């Protein structure tokens, strides 16, 4: 198992967390101390405008705050009050994405009003364990909600899972009741836990070490059972020891060099992220095909690292160096998926097109890191 360490510090008005595996940074989380609207928050909102040609509606979910609601599950008209949950953050070009399908997340389960059935985490592979969990959870499903069993459920006692299911069901009923007497638009409940975000939802027993220079966070993490060390914020101990600013600055760079001499050129657009693989000065005349394959395999590893580090999501296109062998292309796709399997979010290497471009999809929730914060934070 990789040595797992988390470093948390404050930069201006953001708490910045860096996750390290075997002492190498693999992921960042940034939490704004000023932001009041977070993914997972649940509101009672008012439909302001219905756009029929895209089957959606604009909903005022908080005072002077508008979001877009897709009407896949239910049709609405202007003036309707609706219970909504924030699923995706706003960008410069788009409003927050809302859903009328509510999800409440626990340690072992996710209650969902989207699917009135039982779902099982893809990371639970044993068929007998899947069947056992399914049989346990099926009696819990109602005409209002179903459950998804998370990976932790496979290792938990049945009583603990059932207790959490009761807690989530009671919370859901409370939310529904609040909607009936809270005047819209208004926050009804929050399903956002900043502390869980900063520790990447990693449980105390799975985190080898957490280091922070924030005394209040230190106390909260100790109470939850984490192994935590406290550094001096004024002396800048964390940045001197872990170079957080140095590694965070990497997510703002478009060009990333590799050991071979090749490099990646990374560009994020509103529609997708594009990564271009270049040989640089590394290519020679002898054994070109072997050398190109070596660079592409190195680029796959680095691209997977950059995708997670920067929190690139949605559609990601990687333009690898052209290879003549279809077998080499097939191997490259498999190797890419192998690296993506280490990601904390679901990421899939879909295929390689006729033009030699690899298509990847990655679950989108929060914005890329460089849009969550400004480069000014590093000054």
């Amino acid at each position: 198992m990789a040595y797992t360490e988390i470093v948390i510090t404050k930069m201006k008005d953001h708490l910045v967390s860096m996750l390290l595996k075997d002492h190498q940074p693999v992921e960042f989380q940034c939490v704004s101390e000023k932001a009041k609207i977070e993914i997972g928050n649940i509101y009672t909102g008012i439909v302001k405008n219905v756009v029929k040609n895209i089957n959606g509606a604009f909903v005022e979910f908080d005072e002077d705050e508008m979001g877009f609601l897709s009407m896949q599950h239910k049709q609405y008209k202007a003036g309707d009050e609706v219970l909504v949950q924030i699923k995706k953050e706003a960008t410069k070009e788009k409003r927050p994405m809302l859903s009328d399908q509510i999800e409440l997340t626990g340690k072992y389960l996710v209650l969902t009003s989207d699917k009135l059935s039982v779902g099982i985490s893809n990371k639970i592979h044993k068929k007998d364990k899947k069947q056992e969990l399914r049989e346990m959870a099926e009696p819990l499903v109602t005409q209002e909600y179903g459950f998804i069993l998370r990976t932790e459920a496979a290792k938990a006692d049945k009583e603990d899972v059932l207790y959490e299911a009761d807690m989530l069901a009671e919370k859901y009923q409370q939310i529904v009741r609040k909607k009936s007497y809270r005047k819209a638009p208004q926050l009804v409940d929050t399903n956002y836990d900043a502390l869980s975000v900063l520790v990447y939802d990693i449980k105390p027993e799975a985190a080898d070490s957490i280091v922070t220079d924030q005394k209040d966070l230190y106390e909260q993490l100790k109470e939850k059972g984490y192994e935590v060390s406290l550094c001096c914020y004024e002396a800048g101990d964390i940045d001197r020891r872990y170079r957080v600013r140095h590694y965070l600055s990497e997510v703002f760079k478009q060009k990333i060099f590799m050991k071979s001499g090749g490099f990646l050129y990374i560009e994020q657009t509103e529609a997708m992220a594009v990564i271009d693989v270049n040989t640089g000065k590394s290519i020679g005349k002898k054994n070109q095909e072997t050398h190109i394959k070596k660079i592409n395999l190195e680029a796959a590893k680095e691209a997977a690292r950059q995708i997670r580090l920067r929190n690139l999501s949605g559609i990601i296109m990687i333009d690898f160096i052209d290879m003549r062998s279809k077998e080499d292309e097939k191997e490259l796709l498999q190797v890419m998926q192998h690296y993506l399997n280490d990601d904390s979010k679901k990421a899939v290497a879909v295929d390689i097109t006729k033009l030699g471009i690899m298509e990847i999809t990655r679950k989108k929730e929060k914005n890329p890191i460089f849009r969550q914060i400004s480069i000014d934070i590093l000054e």
Side-chain angles (χ1 to χ4, degrees):
M1 293 289 289
Y3 185 82
T4 301
E5 191 169 18
I6 301 168
V7 178
I8 307 172
T9 188
K10 186 177 179 181
M11 294 183 183
K12 295 189 177 177
D13 59 353
H14 282 76
L15 289 170
V16 176
S17 172
M18 181 172 72
L19 174 64
L20 301 98
K21 296 283 187 178
D22 289 334
H23 311 292
Q24 293 299 313
V26 295
E27 193 169 342
F28 284 103
Q29 287 287 1
C30 300
V31 175
S32 171
E33 293 184 319
K34 293 182 178 180
K36 66 171 185 174
I37 298 167
E38 303 286 0
I39 291 173
N41 281 0
I42 300 165
Y43 298 82
T44 176
I46 302 174
V47 177
K48 290 294 184 179
N49 184 31
V50 173
V51 188
K52 292 184 178 180
N53 61 337
I54 56 173
N55 197 29
F58 288 99
V59 176
E60 184 181 6
F61 61 90
D62 204 356
E63 188 175 353
D64 298 325
E65 295 286 351
M66 297 285 285
F68 180 76
L69 172 66
S70 174
M71 297 194 298
Q72 295 178 357
H73 307 282
K74 188 177 177 182
Q75 297 297 307
Y76 298 100
K77 61 182 184 298
D80 283 350
E81 292 193 8
V82 57
L83 195 66
V84 292
Q85 186 172 32
I86 297 181
K87 297 296 183 180
K88 295 179 184 178
E89 289 182 323
T91 66
K92 289 182 179 179
E93 296 82 7
K94 294 182 179 180
R95 297 184 184 276
M97 186 69 71
L98 309 176
S99 175
D100 54 5
Q101 305 300 295
I102 307 301
E103 288 186 354
L104 302 178
T105 304
K107 181 178 180 180
Y108 309 117
L109 299 156
V110 178
L111 180 149
T112 172
S113 66
D114 183 10
K115 297 176 182 177
L116 310 183
S117 59
V118 173
I120 308 288
S121 167
N122 292 328
K123 293 183 179 179
I124 300 175
H125 302 295
K126 294 182 179 179
K127 290 184 178 179
D128 56 343
K129 175 55 71 172
K130 282 187 173 183
Q131 185 60 29
E132 179 188 333
L133 291 171
R134 191 177 300 279
E135 290 175 359
M136 175 186 68
E138 280 177 345
L140 306 174
V141 177
T142 72
Q143 292 302 307
E144 295 179 86
Y145 52 79
F147 288 96
I148 299 169
L149 288 113
R150 304 184 69 191
T151 310
E152 290 292 320
K155 299 176 282 186
D157 292 335
K158 179 180 178 180
E159 292 75 16
D160 292 336
V161 178
L162 293 175
Y163 177 77
E164 184 175 88
D166 284 342
M167 295 299 98
L168 291 175
E170 176 57 29
K171 183 175 181 179
Y172 179 77
Q173 294 299 337
Q174 288 177 357
I175 289 168
V176 173
R177 287 195 293 270
K178 285 178 183 177
K179 177 184 178 293
S180 64
Y181 63 79
R182 292 266 178 104
K183 184 179 179 181
Q186 190 175 153
L187 176 69
V188 172
D189 210 314
T190 177
N191 197 38
Y192 180 83
D193 182 354
L195 199 62
S196 293
V197 172
L198 290 169
V199 298
Y200 305 87
D201 207 22
I202 295 173
K203 308 307 174 195
E205 60 273 15
D208 294 295
S209 170
I210 296 181
V211 181
T212 184
D213 52 15
Q214 302 298 299
K215 198 167 188 306
D216 54 342
L217 281 178
Y218 170 81
E219 299 293 346
Q220 292 174 50
L221 290 164
K222 288 287 282 186
E223 285 180 12
K224 289 184 176 289
Y226 289 94
E227 189 68 36
V228 197
S229 300
L230 183 64
C231 288
C232 179
Y233 178 72
E234 288 76 14
D237 286 349
I238 275 188
D239 204 50
R240 188 167 59 253
R241 286 169 55 184
Y242 294 95
R243 303 176 72 202
V244 179
R245 291 176 187 275
H246 168 78
Y247 289 116
L248 187 58
S249 68
E250 188 176 321
V251 306
F252 293 94
K253 295 178 180 177
Q254 287 187 305
K255 187 180 286 188
I256 301 294
F257 287 96
M258 300 183 293
K259 290 181 180 178
S260 63
F263 63 89
L264 305 180
Y265 189 85
I266 305 170
E267 188 167 358
Q268 174 77 47
T269 70
E270 179 59 30
M272 67 181 71
V274 179
I275 301 175
D276 186 33
V277 180
N278 294 268
T279 59
K281 297 180 180 180
S282 68
I283 198 71
K285 292 182 179 180
K286 295 182 179 180
N287 301 317
Q288 278 197 2
E289 283 299 309
T290 301
H291 194 64
I292 287 171
K293 179 181 176 181
K294 181 181 177 182
I295 292 174
N296 277 341
L297 292 175
E298 182 187 8
K301 183 176 183 179
E302 185 60 32
R305 176 177 172 269
Q306 291 295 329
I307 286 168
R308 185 176 180 185
L309 204 63
R310 297 164 185 249
N311 194 33
L312 303 179
S313 55
I315 300 171
I316 302 165
M317 309 293 282
I318 306 182
D319 187 5
F320 285 97
I321 305 163
D322 290 340
M323 296 188 294
R324 294 175 186 173
S325 169
K326 291 297 178 185
E327 285 301 312
D328 286 349
E329 280 193 355
K330 183 178 179 181
E331 181 183 348
L332 180 62
L333 192 67
Q334 291 172 341
V335 167
M336 188 77 219
Q337 187 59 60
H338 170 74
Y339 291 129
L340 292 174
N341 287 341
D342 291 331
D343 204 319
S344 59
K345 294 184 176 64
K346 185 177 180 180
V348 179
V350 181
D351 62 11
I352 297 178
T353 69
K354 291 181 180 179
L355 295 175
I357 297 173
M358 186 181 291
E359 297 177 311
I360 293 173
T361 61
R362 185 171 183 266
K363 185 178 180 183
K364 184 171 184 178
E365 291 178 353
K366 299 191 76 174
N367 288 324
I369 293 296
F370 74 88
R371 285 191 173 163
Q372 293 181 37
I373 58 175
S374 166
I375 195 170
D376 296 341
I377 201 173
L378 302 172
E379 294 177 353

